[in-house]
Amino acid sequence: MTPDLESLYPRIGQRLLDVAGEPFARGYARVEMGDDFGSVGLFIDRGDGGFAYLTDDDGDLFELFAALRERCVAAGLGAWSTATFALQGSGQFSIEFGHDDISDLGQGPQRRAAWVRRVLGAEAQVRWAN
């Protein structure tokens, strides 16, 4: 990774903290992004045995991930289509990129359900936003 890319990670983490709004045990940003479309959803574990699903209504997280994707391309790392940004309450974070085919937007709910099973666990209880 380059310093230009790495400079975005703390900004992404801070925005996740800002959207979550209160202390949490761990949080995840699930990203799907193409050249002209994308989505970001947050899953926040407040230590109560479930995950709250949140969205960043301001779009700031989307813009940060779009910038990250652009910088990955500019650095010769290629364009990823999925990302999982994990942030622990302690401030420790990790990011995982994927290159899955996300062109079928109608399959988005199925991809999200598969992500929940893989990352949060098959028994994860998600409280979806209204």
Side-chain angles (χ1 to χ4, degrees), residues 92-105:
Q92 211 171 15
F93 71 89
S94 64
I95 191 162
E96 173 187 310
F97 298 107
H99 298 86
D100 302 332
D101 180 3
I102 61 166
S103 60
D104 186 345
L105 299 180

Side-chain angles (χ1 to χ4, degrees), residues 46-108:
R46 300 200 191 281
D48 60 3
F51 290 87
Y53 177 77
L54 305 172
T55 57
D56 180 11
D57 295 333
D58 294 337
D60 294 336
L61 268 176
F62 181 88
E63 293 302 322
L64 287 167
F65 278 107
L68 180 63
R69 187 172 187 265
E70 289 172 11
R71 290 179 187 180
C72 284
V73 170
L77 301 173
W80 46 266
S81 60
T82 64
T84 298
F85 186 89
L87 180 65
Q88 302 299 316
S90 66
Q92 211 171 15
F93 71 89
S94 64
I95 191 162
E96 173 187 310
F97 298 107
H99 298 86
D100 302 332
D101 180 3
I102 61 166
S103 60
D104 186 345
L105 299 180
Q107 293 295 312

